[in-house]
Amino acid sequence: MDENVQGNTGDVVAGSAKAPVTASRPPSGPFEGLLAIDLTHVLNGPFGTTILTDLGARTIKVEAPGHGDDTRTYGPYVGDRSLYFSFVNRGKESIVLNLKDENDRGVFLEMVKRADILCENYRPGVMDRLGFSYETLSALNPRLIYASSSGFGHTGPLAHYPAYDTIVQAMSGMMEATGFPDGPPTRVGGTSLSDLCGGTFMFCGIASALYARERTGKGAHVDVSMFDGTFAFLQHALMTWSATGAAGPRIGNRHPSMAPFDVYRTRDSHIVICCGNNHLFGALCHTLGIEALTADPRFLDNSDRMDNLDALKEAIEGALKQNDAAFWLDALEKAGVPVGPMLNVAEAAALPQTAARNMVIDAGGLKMPGNPVKISGYDDPLTRPGAPRLDEHGAALRVEFAPGQPS
């Protein structure tokens, strides 16, 4: 997190500016008609506000003068467009505001008066120093949902500690719990998990506060942290700690409580097999031609199998190596044994299931992940608006939210 005065912009809808839903224009999502001011930057906050945007909110991203959100300068790029920025800012409007400038502050405060939601992910204290604390802005707009997503939250001794995803993964226990017993602590691969946990829980908090506002008429301050979200995701590791008072060892790809439940080598590649009970274990052994294992005292039930994991894996892989992955995937699926192939990202993106769920979409001409939240009665379009250019909507928004204008 940094303390630069920057923000994110998205389309703002509030007061008389709210677009009516008509028979010819179906609602874009359950948050249709809500106006969100997005002051978040980089990944954790923008991820959460993108969910709001995908579900119909008009989101105005407020960005700092200069290059705007830092991720506009991060690769990879398609042409001059950053995919890092584009993935979590699609469908938003952009306005550049210097929140220390009197005129720009006036525009910003006019937006606040009409907004339903304000999101920020600065270090605790930055918004207060700017004069934009929850207490100040809620006095201006008592119905405002003011969401803060930070590294460690707004309370506690680490509230002002600098936080990036890797720092939070390390301090939460996630890295120490990830990897193989004979390897080093390992960051979760392929994604910035702690950032995304913070953004997801920020969205959850906003949705909850909006529901409460329907009953009370009052806004609220939503305070979530990357650390809390990551710590809460450590379910299995925390179970071990709760039971024993100590951290368990790294366990690689296997399940901490069930066996066989792991990655296994076939003749040509790896597959994943997951057996959560004796019935499935019996079906697995029958299909692999190793029925004798079901009567072996080492493997009679799950607790026995957990005590003899190495021998169990050796026996299973000895059978699997007699044929290719495709053969075993077909045979085990027909036998009702939970099994899956080991795919890379390109292969996962090409799955018919991915297409059926609209999980690869076009946003501004760029391929990116779709919205995982599917709600009946609302479209889940394959094509969505792209991320805005810096200050793309600035001129129009300055007119719309000029101080003194009727809402």
Side-chain angles (χ1 to χ4, degrees):
M1 320 299 290
D2 67 45
E3 296 194 8
N4 293 334
V5 180
Q6 68 181 34
N8 303 326
T9 61
D11 300 342
V12 184
V13 177
S16 60
K18 295 180 181 179
V21 176
T22 66
S24 61
R25 190 183 68 80
S28 58
F31 295 127
E32 172 91 19
L34 295 182
L35 170 60
I37 303 172
D38 186 358
L39 289 168
T40 66
H41 53 285
V42 189
L43 182 56
N44 106 47
F47 181 76
T49 54
T50 294
I51 303 174
L52 279 174
T53 308
D54 279 352
L55 294 177
R58 182 188 180 194
T59 306
I60 299 177
K61 185 175 180 70
V62 178
E63 301 189 71
H67 58 66
D69 192 316
D70 284 347
T71 57
R72 288 185 181 275
T73 67
Y74 298 171
Y77 289 91
V78 172
D80 64 348
R81 291 183 293 174
S82 161
L83 289 177
Y84 202 126
F85 177 83
S86 297
F87 267 41
V88 290
N89 289 286
R90 63 176 179 242
K92 301 174 184 178
E93 299 171 46
S94 173
I95 183 172
V96 168
L97 293 177
N98 179 353
L99 296 181
K100 295 181 180 179
D101 175 83
E102 183 177 352
N103 291 329
D104 284 3
R105 288 170 69 91
V107 173
F108 174 72
L109 290 173
E110 189 64 32
M111 291 166 59
V112 169
K113 291 177 185 177
R114 304 193 217 170
D116 296 283
I117 304 156
L118 181 144
C119 303
E120 61 90 12
N121 66 342
Y122 300 119
R123 284 197 210 176
V126 172
M127 290 290 282
D128 294 9
R129 291 195 293 274
L130 288 169
F132 300 139
S133 67
Y134 169 65
E135 291 75 18
T136 298
L137 297 189
S138 63
L140 191 66
N141 179 356
R143 290 176 55 82
L144 182 69
I145 307 300
Y146 184 116
S148 300
S149 181
S150 59
F152 292 91
H154 279 235
T155 59
L158 292 179
H160 293 88
Y161 200 81
Y164 283 90
D165 178 86
T166 302
I167 292 173
V168 175
Q169 286 201 38
M171 294 182 66
S172 65
M174 181 65 74
M175 284 180 66
E176 181 61 35
T178 303
F180 287 85
D182 57 351
T186 304
R187 182 180 182 274
V188 174
T191 190
S192 295
L193 179 71
S194 295
D195 273 317
L196 302 184
C197 284
T200 300
F201 282 115
M202 184 184 74
F203 169 77
C204 293
I206 291 168
S208 300
L210 285 168
Y211 178 76
R213 192 180 72 176
E214 291 299 303
R215 294 182 290 107
T216 67
K218 297 179 180 179
H221 184 201
V222 175
D223 174 14
V224 299
S225 83
M226 294 160 59
F227 177 86
D228 294 351
T230 308
F231 187 77
F233 267 32
L234 281 164
Q235 289 287 301
H236 294 301
L238 288 170
M239 290 176 197
T240 299
W241 164 78
S242 181
T244 68
R250 289 187 290 279
I251 60 174
N253 293 316
R254 71 171 178 84
H255 194 280
S257 307
M258 292 183 280
F261 214 104
D262 204 342
V263 175
Y264 298 91
R265 178 77 187 180
T266 70
R267 185 163 63 189
D268 64 338
S269 62
H270 290 90
I271 62 175
V272 175
I273 298 172
C274 301
C275 295
N277 56 49
N278 288 343
H279 170 75
L280 292 173
F281 179 61
L284 170 68
C285 292
H286 175 76
T287 306
L288 297 185
I290 49 176
E291 291 93 337
L293 263 63
T294 60
D296 189 316
R298 296 174 297 170
F299 311 127
L300 290 178
D301 59 28
N302 186 66
S303 61
D304 296 322
R305 294 191 288 272
M306 288 297 297
D307 288 340
N308 296 280
L309 287 169
D310 291 341
L312 177 63
K313 188 164 189 175
E314 182 179 358
I316 291 172
E317 289 193 330
L320 288 173
K321 288 177 181 178
Q322 303 306 307
N323 232 313
D324 292 345
F327 173 87
W328 290 121
L329 287 167
D330 180 66
L332 290 170
E333 183 180 0
K334 288 177 178 175
V337 176
V339 63
M342 186 65 66
L343 303 180
N344 61 36
V345 171
E347 291 166 334
L351 282 175
Q353 179 67 18
T354 306
R357 298 285 293 175
N358 291 359
M359 283 309 298
V360 174
I361 65 167
D362 179 296
L366 300 175
K367 289 183 180 179
M368 61 183 68
N371 178 17
V373 182
K374 317 297 184 184
I375 302 177
S376 63
Y378 298 101
D379 288 340
D380 179 32
L382 276 169
T383 302
R384 292 183 179 271
R389 300 287 183 176
L390 182 63
D391 203 37
E392 180 177 343
H393 308 91
L397 290 170
R398 286 175 181 275
V399 172
E400 181 180 356
F401 295 100
Q405 290 286 98
S407 10

